[in-house]
Amino acid sequence: ELHCISVVVEGAAGSVTGVPVDSVGVHMFALDDGQALIVEVTTGEGGGKVIAVQSVVKLCNHTDLTMEIAVVTRQGNPVWLETLAPAKHFCLPTHLRECYAVLVRPVEDA
């Protein structure tokens, strides 16, 4: 028997159904509004499954500087997310997947 989950993203049209959680891997799904979503299934400590729901926007720092990342929404509101160390990456949170722009600048104290 295959174990699956459904994922509903707040503010998105529709949901993603049939997300398999039995096998480790990365799966990409389309939402009804045309946006995409990544679901990554990994094995955690003790053998349990860890399910990460991510947007398809991945930010990677390929510089030698710590960078500050900000998102400007369609409404023009800046949302500071976090700092990003050299050689690190993260996916933009799913609720910001429709952002207007991503602003990047070096952290002054670094």
Side-chain angles (χ1 to χ4, degrees):
E1 179 180 323
L2 185 63
H3 297 94
C4 296
I5 63 170
S6 294
V7 177
V8 177
V9 178
E10 187 175 334
S15 62
V16 175
T17 59
V19 178
V21 295
D22 288 329
S23 61
V24 171
V26 178
H27 311 278
M28 185 180 295
F29 297 93
L31 296 169
D32 291 346
D33 60 4
Q35 297 293 318
L37 193 66
I38 293 175
V39 178
E40 181 177 12
V41 180
T42 58
T43 303
E45 293 183 29
K49 298 292 190 212
V50 177
I51 302 166
V53 178
Q54 306 169 339
S55 74
V56 295
V57 179
K58 187 175 190 176
L59 303 174
C60 303
N61 185 355
H62 294 289
T63 73
D64 294 332
L65 304 171
T66 298
M67 304 302 275
E68 187 172 52
I69 309 296
V71 169
V72 179
T73 64
R74 291 189 187 276
Q75 293 78 25
N77 301 320
V79 181
W80 291 101
L81 294 177
E82 65 181 64
T83 57
L84 189 57
K88 297 294 181 183
H89 66 272
F90 70 91
C91 288
L92 196 64
T94 56
H95 70 281
L96 296 175
R97 72 191 193 290
E98 293 184 28
C99 67
Y100 178 71
V102 176
L103 307 176
V104 180
R105 67 179 181 190
V107 173
E108 294 179 11
D109 297 3

XYZ file of all heavy atoms in Angstrom:
810
model
N 0.848 -1.186 0.000
C 0.000 0.000 0.000
C 0.893 1.249 0.000
O 1.779 1.397 0.820
C -0.884 -0.015 1.241
C -1.775 1.188 1.340
C -2.651 1.130 2.588
O -3.098 0.029 2.955
O -2.865 2.184 3.157
N 0.665 2.145 -0.944
C 1.431 3.378 -1.071
C 0.846 4.447 -0.160
O -0.360 4.684 -0.166
C 1.407 3.852 -2.528
C 2.248 5.060 -2.883
C 3.732 4.761 -2.654
C 2.022 5.449 -4.328
N 1.707 5.085 0.635
C 1.262 6.153 1.527
C 1.490 7.496 0.856
O 2.593 7.787 0.392
C 2.013 6.086 2.857
C 1.741 4.840 3.611
N 2.557 3.728 3.520
C 0.732 4.509 4.451
C 2.072 2.775 4.283
N 0.961 3.218 4.857
N 0.443 8.313 0.791
C 0.506 9.621 0.145
C -0.116 10.669 1.057
O -0.922 10.352 1.931
C -0.245 9.616 -1.182
S 0.455 8.511 -2.410
N 0.273 11.915 0.829
C -0.326 13.036 1.541
C -0.830 14.055 0.530
O -0.481 13.997 -0.649
C 0.671 13.719 2.511
C 1.852 14.326 1.731
C 1.137 12.763 3.595
C 2.747 15.222 2.576
N -1.640 14.971 1.009
C -2.069 16.121 0.212
C -1.469 17.364 0.848
O -1.305 17.435 2.063
C -3.588 16.236 0.197
O -4.150 15.136 -0.477
N -1.133 18.347 0.020
C -0.531 19.584 0.504
C -1.389 20.750 0.049
O -1.701 20.870 -1.136
C 0.908 19.760 -0.029
C 1.499 21.080 0.421
C 1.791 18.591 0.399
N -1.774 21.596 0.996
C -2.504 22.826 0.699
C -1.596 23.983 1.078
O -1.105 24.045 2.201
C -3.821 22.899 1.501
C -4.532 24.212 1.229
C -4.718 21.719 1.164
N -1.346 24.891 0.141
C -0.512 26.054 0.396
C -1.426 27.247 0.610
O -2.242 27.572 -0.263
C 0.465 26.324 -0.769
C 1.289 27.575 -0.504
C 1.362 25.119 -0.987
N -1.293 27.877 1.755
C -2.135 29.027 2.079
C -1.971 30.107 1.018
O -0.858 30.457 0.630
C -1.749 29.587 3.447
C -2.665 30.675 3.933
C -2.328 31.115 5.349
O -1.761 30.328 6.114
O -2.621 32.279 5.663
N -3.073 30.601 0.504
C -3.056 31.654 -0.497
C -2.906 31.157 -1.925
O -2.929 31.946 -2.859
N -2.753 29.848 -2.112
C -2.601 29.299 -3.457
C -3.917 28.685 -3.905
O -4.746 28.297 -3.091
C -1.502 28.238 -3.479
N -4.070 28.597 -5.212
C -5.281 27.984 -5.766
C -5.122 26.477 -5.783
O -4.148 25.948 -6.299
C -5.518 28.501 -7.181
N -6.073 25.768 -5.194
C -6.066 24.313 -5.231
C -5.090 23.696 -4.254
O -4.564 24.354 -3.367
N -4.854 22.403 -4.427
C -3.944 21.670 -3.562
C -3.200 20.632 -4.399
O -3.535 20.385 -5.551
C -4.723 20.984 -2.434
O -5.627 20.040 -2.977
N -2.192 20.034 -3.807
C -1.440 18.967 -4.444
C -1.829 17.683 -3.739
O -1.762 17.590 -2.518
C 0.078 19.211 -4.312
C 0.856 18.045 -4.853
C 0.474 20.504 -4.999
N -2.267 16.696 -4.491
C -2.662 15.419 -3.907
C -1.748 14.315 -4.430
O -1.080 14.476 -5.451
C -4.123 15.075 -4.253
O -4.259 15.022 -5.678
C -5.080 16.116 -3.698
N -1.708 13.223 -3.722
C -0.926 12.079 -4.162
C 0.567 12.249 -4.017
O 1.334 11.693 -4.799
N 1.013 13.002 -3.002
C 2.445 13.185 -2.771
C 2.961 11.930 -2.061
O 2.583 11.661 -0.920
C 2.717 14.434 -1.915
C 4.206 14.581 -1.640
C 2.159 15.680 -2.589
N 3.825 11.133 -2.709
C 4.293 9.886 -2.096
C 5.285 10.163 -0.972
O 6.174 10.998 -1.109
C 4.976 9.149 -3.262
C 5.389 10.231 -4.195
C 4.377 11.338 -4.049
N 5.125 9.455 0.148
C 6.021 9.653 1.284
C 6.758 8.368 1.669
O 7.535 8.365 2.611
C 5.265 10.228 2.507
C 4.754 11.618 2.209
C 4.138 9.319 2.943
N 6.535 7.299 0.942
C 7.213 6.042 1.260
C 8.671 6.035 0.817
O 9.513 5.418 1.454
C 6.487 4.854 0.617
C 5.175 4.551 1.309
O 5.082 4.780 2.529
O 4.244 4.087 0.633
N 8.976 6.689 -0.280
C 10.345 6.677 -0.791
C 10.976 8.058 -0.681
O 10.308 9.079 -0.825
C 10.366 6.207 -2.252
O 9.613 7.083 -3.055
N 12.271 8.058 -0.410
C 13.038 9.296 -0.294
C 13.220 9.882 -1.684
O 13.481 9.161 -2.651
C 14.404 9.005 0.371
C 15.319 10.209 0.321
C 14.196 8.538 1.804
N 13.076 11.212 -1.803
C 13.276 11.855 -3.089
C 12.684 13.246 -3.133
O 12.105 13.725 -2.164
N 12.855 13.879 -4.270
C 12.348 15.228 -4.504
C 11.296 15.140 -5.599
O 11.535 14.536 -6.647
C 13.481 16.188 -4.921
C 12.940 17.570 -5.219
C 14.552 16.255 -3.840
N 10.148 15.721 -5.346
C 9.038 15.688 -6.293
C 8.581 17.120 -6.576
O 8.505 17.930 -5.663
C 7.862 14.887 -5.722
C 8.265 13.557 -5.173
N 8.453 12.455 -5.965
C 8.542 13.162 -3.907
C 8.812 11.430 -5.209
N 8.871 11.831 -3.953
N 8.278 17.418 -7.842
C 7.775 18.735 -8.213
C 6.326 18.595 -8.657
O 5.981 17.677 -9.396
C 8.595 19.366 -9.328
C 8.160 20.798 -9.640
S 9.093 21.594 -10.966
C 10.703 21.680 -10.256
N 5.490 19.525 -8.178
C 4.067 19.495 -8.501
C 3.624 20.877 -8.953
O 4.174 21.884 -8.534
C 3.250 19.089 -7.261
C 3.564 17.717 -6.770
C 4.521 17.523 -5.793
C 2.910 16.617 -7.284
C 4.813 16.250 -5.333
C 3.198 15.338 -6.839
C 4.156 15.158 -5.852
N 2.599 20.907 -9.798
C 2.010 22.165 -10.253
C 0.733 22.425 -9.471
O -0.085 21.525 -9.282
C 1.706 22.102 -11.740
N 0.570 23.658 -9.016
C -0.674 24.078 -8.382
C -1.637 24.551 -9.460
O -1.243 24.814 -10.599
C -0.394 25.195 -7.372
C 0.488 24.803 -6.185
C 0.907 26.046 -5.410
C -0.242 23.831 -5.285
N -2.907 24.692 -9.110
C -3.922 25.099 -10.083
C -3.664 26.487 -10.673
O -4.118 26.796 -11.759
C -5.309 25.079 -9.441
C -5.777 23.662 -9.132
O -5.165 22.708 -9.649
O -6.741 23.510 -8.367
N -2.933 27.337 -9.925
C -2.667 28.695 -10.414
C -1.412 28.774 -11.284
O -0.945 29.842 -11.625
C -2.582 29.683 -9.251
C -1.473 29.355 -8.261
O -0.696 28.398 -8.507
O -1.376 30.053 -7.232
N -0.833 27.607 -11.641
C 0.336 27.579 -12.507
C 1.655 27.649 -11.767
O 2.712 27.485 -12.370
N 1.632 27.889 -10.472
C 2.849 27.931 -9.680
C 3.320 26.502 -9.403
O 2.542 25.557 -9.445
C 2.602 28.660 -8.354
C 2.205 30.107 -8.519
C 3.332 30.945 -9.071
O 4.477 30.808 -8.677
N 3.011 31.830 -9.983
N 4.605 26.357 -9.115
C 5.154 25.033 -8.828
C 5.547 24.929 -7.364
O 5.747 25.931 -6.684
C 6.366 24.778 -9.716
N 5.646 23.708 -6.911
C 5.952 23.414 -5.519
C 6.863 22.194 -5.491
O 6.677 21.250 -6.261
C 4.640 23.101 -4.799
C 4.611 23.038 -3.305
C 4.891 24.418 -2.712
C 3.245 22.557 -2.851
N 7.863 22.211 -4.607
C 8.758 21.069 -4.445
C 8.454 20.419 -3.108
O 8.335 21.104 -2.094
C 10.240 21.499 -4.495
C 10.592 21.996 -5.889
C 11.152 20.352 -4.077
C 12.000 22.544 -6.002
N 8.329 19.097 -3.113
C 8.173 18.327 -1.876
C 9.360 17.377 -1.799
O 9.560 16.544 -2.684
C 6.848 17.550 -1.843
C 6.746 16.737 -0.562
C 5.662 18.501 -1.968
N 10.168 17.536 -0.739
C 11.346 16.697 -0.555
C 11.112 15.766 0.634
O 10.774 16.215 1.720
C 12.587 17.552 -0.304
C 13.850 16.743 -0.128
C 15.082 17.610 0.048
O 14.960 18.825 0.251
O 16.184 17.040 -0.018
N 11.283 14.483 0.411
C 11.120 13.471 1.457
C 12.502 12.911 1.780
O 13.194 12.405 0.889
C 10.168 12.336 1.010
C 10.020 11.309 2.116
C 8.816 12.894 0.593
N 12.925 13.031 3.039
C 14.201 12.503 3.497
C 13.956 11.607 4.707
O 12.865 11.603 5.281
C 15.180 13.630 3.878
O 14.583 14.439 4.897
C 15.530 14.499 2.679
N 14.978 10.871 5.087
C 14.888 10.022 6.279
C 15.549 10.758 7.430
O 16.704 11.172 7.334
C 15.580 8.671 6.046
O 14.973 8.044 4.909
C 15.443 7.775 7.251
N 14.797 10.932 8.511
C 15.314 11.627 9.684
C 15.933 10.659 10.667
O 16.043 9.458 10.420
N 16.351 11.213 11.806
C 16.909 10.383 12.872
C 15.851 9.394 13.341
O 14.685 9.724 13.455
C 17.362 11.266 14.023
C 18.538 12.154 13.686
C 19.007 12.970 14.876
O 18.842 12.515 16.018
O 19.533 14.057 14.635
N 16.252 8.179 13.601
C 15.319 7.155 14.046
C 14.551 6.496 12.917
O 13.653 5.696 13.155
N 14.839 6.878 11.664
C 14.205 6.236 10.522
C 12.891 6.845 10.080
O 12.304 6.399 9.116
N 12.395 7.870 10.787
C 11.155 8.523 10.377
C 11.355 9.373 9.140
O 12.477 9.732 8.778
N 10.290 9.678 8.470
C 10.354 10.510 7.269
C 10.220 11.983 7.638
O 9.449 12.354 8.521
C 9.234 10.146 6.296
C 9.300 8.728 5.795
C 10.488 8.510 4.897
C 10.370 7.197 4.270
N 11.130 6.317 3.876
N 10.992 12.817 6.949
C 10.914 14.266 7.089
C 10.425 14.801 5.749
O 11.017 14.511 4.702
C 12.287 14.874 7.446
C 12.199 16.387 7.512
C 12.803 14.291 8.761
N 9.354 15.570 5.774
C 8.754 16.090 4.548
C 8.902 17.596 4.547
O 8.397 18.280 5.438
C 7.277 15.683 4.455
C 7.163 14.153 4.496
C 6.636 16.254 3.202
C 5.784 13.640 4.741
N 9.619 18.123 3.554
C 9.832 19.562 3.422
C 9.084 20.053 2.193
O 9.271 19.531 1.092
C 11.316 19.880 3.298
N 8.231 21.054 2.384
C 7.507 21.677 1.283
C 8.209 22.994 0.982
O 8.362 23.833 1.861
C 6.026 21.906 1.651
C 5.296 22.592 0.517
C 5.357 20.593 2.020
N 8.656 23.144 -0.255
C 9.462 24.300 -0.632
C 8.960 24.914 -1.927
O 8.336 24.239 -2.736
C 10.926 23.877 -0.828
C 11.526 23.154 0.344
C 12.879 22.538 0.001
O 13.213 22.307 -1.148
N 13.663 22.270 1.025
N 9.282 26.192 -2.093
C 9.011 26.811 -3.385
C 10.109 26.392 -4.351
O 11.125 25.817 -3.947
C 8.968 28.335 -3.258
O 10.270 28.860 -3.099
N 9.942 26.691 -5.612
C 10.951 26.335 -6.608
C 12.016 27.414 -6.740
O 12.930 27.270 -7.543
C 10.314 26.051 -7.990
C 9.434 24.822 -7.926
C 9.558 27.248 -8.504
N 11.933 28.474 -5.939
C 12.928 29.540 -5.980
C 14.004 29.229 -4.948
O 13.772 29.269 -3.739
C 12.299 30.919 -5.688
C 13.357 32.006 -5.724
C 11.187 31.204 -6.679
N 15.186 28.881 -5.424
C 16.312 28.537 -4.553
C 17.359 29.633 -4.660
O 17.774 30.004 -5.758
C 16.905 27.190 -4.968
C 17.966 26.676 -4.041
C 18.393 25.278 -4.480
C 19.260 24.615 -3.462
N 19.584 23.238 -3.850
N 17.782 30.168 -3.518
C 18.789 31.221 -3.474
C 20.108 30.618 -3.012
O 20.171 29.983 -1.961
C 18.356 32.330 -2.524
C 16.998 32.959 -2.844
C 16.592 33.935 -1.751
C 17.040 33.649 -4.188
N 21.161 30.806 -3.805
C 22.486 30.247 -3.510
C 23.495 31.379 -3.418
O 23.505 32.266 -4.268
C 22.934 29.285 -4.604
S 21.796 27.936 -4.903
N 24.349 31.338 -2.423
C 25.402 32.348 -2.266
C 26.715 31.760 -2.758
O 27.339 30.951 -2.077
C 25.516 32.781 -0.803
C 26.512 33.913 -0.622
O 27.193 34.316 -1.559
N 26.604 34.419 0.589
N 27.153 32.182 -3.934
C 28.400 31.711 -4.519
C 29.512 32.736 -4.355
O 30.488 32.715 -5.108
C 28.199 31.385 -6.009
C 27.291 30.234 -6.244
N 27.631 28.934 -5.963
C 26.024 30.177 -6.728
C 26.635 28.126 -6.268
N 25.641 28.857 -6.731
N 29.367 33.630 -3.378
C 30.396 34.638 -3.118
C 31.156 34.272 -1.847
O 30.825 33.302 -1.161
C 29.774 36.036 -2.938
O 29.099 36.097 -1.665
C 28.809 36.374 -4.061
N 32.152 35.079 -1.507
C 32.900 34.912 -0.259
C 32.333 35.792 0.844
O 32.906 35.871 1.927
C 34.374 35.266 -0.480
C 35.063 34.288 -1.424
O 34.630 33.119 -1.473
O 36.025 34.695 -2.104
N 31.220 36.473 0.582
C 30.628 37.405 1.537
C 29.312 36.866 2.077
O 28.577 36.174 1.373
C 30.355 38.752 0.856
C 31.531 39.442 0.183
C 31.042 40.636 -0.610
C 32.543 39.872 1.240
N 28.991 37.203 3.322
C 27.668 36.919 3.857
C 26.712 37.931 3.244
O 26.998 39.129 3.208
C 27.668 37.038 5.393
O 28.577 36.065 5.913
C 26.281 36.795 5.959
N 25.596 37.450 2.734
C 24.643 38.315 2.050
C 23.342 38.430 2.844
O 22.937 37.493 3.524
C 24.345 37.762 0.659
C 25.580 37.551 -0.205
S 26.563 39.027 -0.464
C 25.703 39.709 -1.850
N 22.705 39.577 2.723
C 21.393 39.802 3.315
C 20.369 39.698 2.188
O 20.544 40.302 1.135
C 21.355 41.184 3.959
C 20.111 41.465 4.741
C 20.224 42.762 5.502
O 20.566 43.793 4.872
O 19.978 42.757 6.699
N 19.327 38.924 2.429
C 18.319 38.659 1.405
C 17.018 39.337 1.809
O 16.556 39.198 2.938
C 18.050 37.147 1.262
C 19.351 36.356 1.087
C 17.063 36.864 0.145
C 20.113 36.667 -0.166
N 16.416 40.055 0.880
C 15.109 40.672 1.104
C 14.215 40.340 -0.076
O 14.679 40.187 -1.197
C 15.239 42.182 1.241
N 12.936 40.264 0.208
C 11.941 40.028 -0.833
C 11.017 41.232 -0.868
O 10.609 41.739 0.179
C 11.125 38.755 -0.539
C 9.934 38.639 -1.458
C 12.010 37.538 -0.659
N 10.706 41.693 -2.061
C 9.719 42.755 -2.231
C 8.484 42.100 -2.830
O 8.543 41.506 -3.908
C 10.248 43.882 -3.143
C 9.199 44.951 -3.324
C 11.520 44.486 -2.559
N 7.375 42.169 -2.124
C 6.138 41.560 -2.584
C 5.511 42.396 -3.689
O 5.925 43.533 -3.943
C 5.139 41.414 -1.425
O 4.790 42.721 -0.969
C 5.731 40.595 -0.289
N 4.485 41.860 -4.311
C 3.772 42.590 -5.365
C 3.145 43.878 -4.844
O 2.906 44.803 -5.593
C 2.706 41.697 -5.991
C 3.283 40.556 -6.792
C 2.198 39.823 -7.568
N 2.739 38.636 -8.200
C 3.357 38.638 -9.378
N 3.504 39.752 -10.033
N 3.814 37.513 -9.874
N 2.876 43.926 -3.544
C 2.319 45.131 -2.938
C 3.404 46.165 -2.633
O 3.108 47.253 -2.149
C 1.577 44.783 -1.639
C 0.331 43.948 -1.841
C 0.638 42.466 -2.088
O 1.661 41.950 -1.690
N -0.272 41.792 -2.782
N 4.670 45.831 -2.903
C 5.772 46.760 -2.673
C 6.341 46.727 -1.269
O 7.149 47.572 -0.903
N 5.934 45.758 -0.461
C 6.420 45.663 0.913
C 7.696 44.834 0.975
O 7.699 43.681 0.559
C 5.364 45.007 1.807
C 4.070 45.774 1.815
O 4.056 46.989 1.845
N 2.956 45.059 1.760
N 8.784 45.409 1.526
C 10.000 44.607 1.683
C 9.855 43.650 2.864
O 9.311 44.009 3.898
C 11.081 45.653 1.948
C 10.354 46.819 2.516
C 8.971 46.798 1.927
N 10.312 42.425 2.663
C 10.290 41.412 3.711
C 11.709 40.860 3.828
O 12.180 40.182 2.926
C 9.314 40.264 3.367
C 9.289 39.226 4.467
C 7.925 40.808 3.111
N 12.388 41.191 4.915
C 13.747 40.677 5.101
C 13.648 39.253 5.593
O 12.982 38.965 6.588
C 14.532 41.526 6.097
C 14.838 42.875 5.541
C 14.190 44.033 5.824
C 15.825 43.183 4.584
N 14.716 45.050 5.087
C 15.727 44.563 4.314
C 16.792 42.446 3.896
C 16.558 45.228 3.413
C 17.611 43.116 3.003
C 17.486 44.479 2.772
N 14.302 38.346 4.889
C 14.214 36.935 5.240
C 15.311 36.514 6.208
O 15.041 36.073 7.303
C 14.284 36.069 3.985
C 13.127 36.208 3.024
C 13.363 35.357 1.793
C 11.845 35.804 3.699
N 16.539 36.636 5.775
C 17.651 36.178 6.587
C 18.959 36.520 5.909
O 18.982 37.027 4.795
C 17.579 34.673 6.839
C 17.718 33.830 5.604
C 17.616 32.346 5.923
O 16.547 31.910 6.371
O 18.621 31.642 5.728
N 20.037 36.229 6.612
C 21.352 36.361 6.000
C 21.738 35.005 5.429
O 21.278 33.959 5.893
C 22.410 36.834 7.019
O 22.433 35.918 8.108
C 22.103 38.232 7.516
N 22.572 35.041 4.429
C 22.974 33.823 3.727
C 24.499 33.772 3.700
O 25.144 34.603 3.072
C 22.381 33.826 2.319
C 22.501 32.577 1.488
C 21.889 31.373 2.205
C 21.810 32.775 0.142
N 25.068 32.804 4.413
C 26.521 32.664 4.498
C 27.098 32.189 3.168
O 26.383 31.613 2.343
C 26.875 31.667 5.609
N 28.395 32.413 2.961
C 29.036 31.927 1.741
C 28.853 30.415 1.576
O 28.872 29.663 2.548
C 30.511 32.275 1.955
C 30.485 33.437 2.897
C 29.314 33.173 3.808
N 28.641 29.979 0.358
C 28.477 28.573 -0.017
C 27.230 27.927 0.585
O 27.123 26.714 0.625
C 29.726 27.768 0.353
N 26.271 28.714 1.025
C 25.019 28.179 1.575
C 23.868 28.512 0.635
O 23.991 29.341 -0.265
C 24.737 28.757 2.969
C 25.777 28.390 4.000
C 25.746 26.908 4.272
C 26.768 26.543 5.325
N 26.821 25.123 5.582
N 22.720 27.874 0.852
C 21.543 28.123 0.037
C 20.285 27.864 0.858
O 20.340 27.243 1.912
C 21.534 27.228 -1.204
C 21.377 25.778 -0.877
N 22.450 24.975 -0.608
C 20.285 24.998 -0.757
C 22.020 23.758 -0.330
N 20.707 23.739 -0.412
N 19.168 28.366 0.376
C 17.866 28.044 0.943
C 16.802 28.316 -0.098
O 17.022 29.043 -1.058
C 17.576 28.814 2.253
C 17.345 30.290 2.091
C 16.070 30.794 1.902
C 18.397 31.179 2.143
C 15.853 32.154 1.764
C 18.198 32.540 2.004
C 16.915 33.027 1.812
N 15.652 27.703 0.087
C 14.521 27.932 -0.809
C 13.660 29.050 -0.238
O 13.468 29.141 0.976
C 13.683 26.674 -0.974
S 14.505 25.410 -1.954
N 13.154 29.872 -1.106
C 12.255 30.940 -0.699
C 11.014 30.310 -0.073
O 10.494 29.322 -0.594
C 11.866 31.750 -1.937
C 11.250 33.109 -1.732
C 12.242 34.057 -1.063
C 10.807 33.677 -3.054
N 10.533 30.844 1.047
C 9.323 30.281 1.656
C 8.157 30.269 0.668
O 8.015 31.166 -0.161
C 9.041 31.234 2.823
C 10.377 31.819 3.157
C 11.094 31.936 1.835
N 7.318 29.251 0.771
C 6.242 29.077 -0.198
C 5.272 30.247 -0.215
O 4.742 30.587 -1.264
C 5.461 27.777 0.061
O 4.983 27.793 1.406
C 6.326 26.571 -0.161
N 5.054 30.916 0.930
C 4.104 32.030 0.938
C 4.659 33.252 0.210
O 3.922 34.178 -0.089
C 3.677 32.387 2.375
C 4.740 33.026 3.197
N 5.746 32.302 3.782
C 4.946 34.319 3.516
C 6.539 33.124 4.440
N 6.083 34.350 4.296
N 5.963 33.245 -0.130
C 6.564 34.347 -0.878
C 6.901 33.944 -2.312
O 7.635 34.637 -2.996
C 7.836 34.830 -0.170
C 7.632 35.433 1.207
C 8.977 35.750 1.841
C 6.771 36.678 1.128
N 6.351 32.838 -2.776
C 6.719 32.328 -4.088
C 6.314 33.246 -5.225
O 6.820 33.130 -6.324
C 6.145 30.927 -4.297
C 4.659 30.899 -4.501
C 4.107 29.492 -4.442
N 2.755 29.435 -4.939
C 1.704 29.947 -4.330
N 1.858 30.573 -3.187
N 0.504 29.850 -4.851
N 5.386 34.154 -4.993
C 4.969 35.080 -6.032
C 5.544 36.472 -5.798
O 4.950 37.465 -6.174
C 3.445 35.146 -6.085
C 2.816 33.852 -6.537
C 1.310 33.959 -6.680
O 0.811 35.065 -6.951
O 0.644 32.934 -6.511
N 6.723 36.527 -5.195
C 7.322 37.831 -4.901
C 7.644 38.571 -6.193
O 7.803 37.982 -7.258
C 8.566 37.662 -4.046
S 9.924 36.831 -4.885
N 7.733 39.868 -6.059
C 8.032 40.709 -7.214
C 9.531 40.742 -7.487
O 9.965 40.706 -8.627
C 7.493 42.117 -6.973
C 7.793 43.070 -8.096
C 7.145 42.954 -9.317
C 8.735 44.071 -7.934
C 7.426 43.807 -10.358
C 9.022 44.936 -8.969
C 8.372 44.810 -10.179
O 8.659 45.654 -11.196
N 10.341 40.823 -6.414
C 11.784 40.916 -6.595
C 12.504 40.375 -5.367
O 11.973 40.402 -4.259
C 12.207 42.361 -6.835
N 13.712 39.880 -5.590
C 14.606 39.476 -4.503
C 15.781 40.437 -4.509
O 16.439 40.620 -5.533
C 15.104 38.020 -4.704
C 16.105 37.636 -3.630
C 13.923 37.057 -4.720
N 16.011 41.072 -3.371
C 17.111 42.025 -3.241
C 18.226 41.385 -2.424
O 17.972 40.764 -1.391
C 16.620 43.294 -2.542
C 15.382 43.967 -3.159
C 14.961 45.152 -2.305
C 15.671 44.394 -4.590
N 19.453 41.546 -2.894
C 20.611 40.933 -2.239
C 21.661 42.008 -2.035
O 21.959 42.786 -2.945
C 21.193 39.791 -3.100
C 22.390 39.157 -2.426
C 20.128 38.759 -3.419
N 22.252 42.034 -0.810
C 23.336 42.971 -0.547
C 24.254 42.366 0.503
O 23.813 41.589 1.352
C 22.816 44.324 -0.098
C 22.144 44.327 1.238
C 21.689 45.710 1.617
N 21.055 45.667 2.925
C 20.398 46.662 3.458
N 20.275 47.783 2.794
N 19.871 46.544 4.649
N 25.544 42.748 0.481
C 26.474 42.241 1.491
C 26.099 42.759 2.885
O 25.615 43.870 3.031
C 27.832 42.806 1.073
C 27.655 43.267 -0.327
C 26.201 43.582 -0.514
N 26.320 41.920 3.881
C 26.095 42.335 5.257
C 27.260 43.229 5.657
O 28.425 42.883 5.462
C 26.011 41.102 6.191
C 25.943 41.529 7.652
C 24.808 40.250 5.807
N 26.966 44.396 6.196
C 27.996 45.395 6.503
C 28.972 44.937 7.577
O 30.134 45.291 7.547
C 27.343 46.710 6.903
C 26.588 47.340 5.762
C 25.913 48.635 6.158
O 26.186 49.167 7.249
O 25.091 49.120 5.359
N 28.515 44.119 8.544
C 29.382 43.699 9.644
C 30.281 42.519 9.282
O 31.167 42.189 10.034
C 28.542 43.314 10.865
C 27.755 44.498 11.398
O 27.811 45.580 10.792
O 27.094 44.330 12.432
N 30.005 41.870 8.175
C 30.744 40.636 7.848
C 32.130 40.933 7.337
O 32.474 41.941 6.862
C 29.964 39.829 6.807
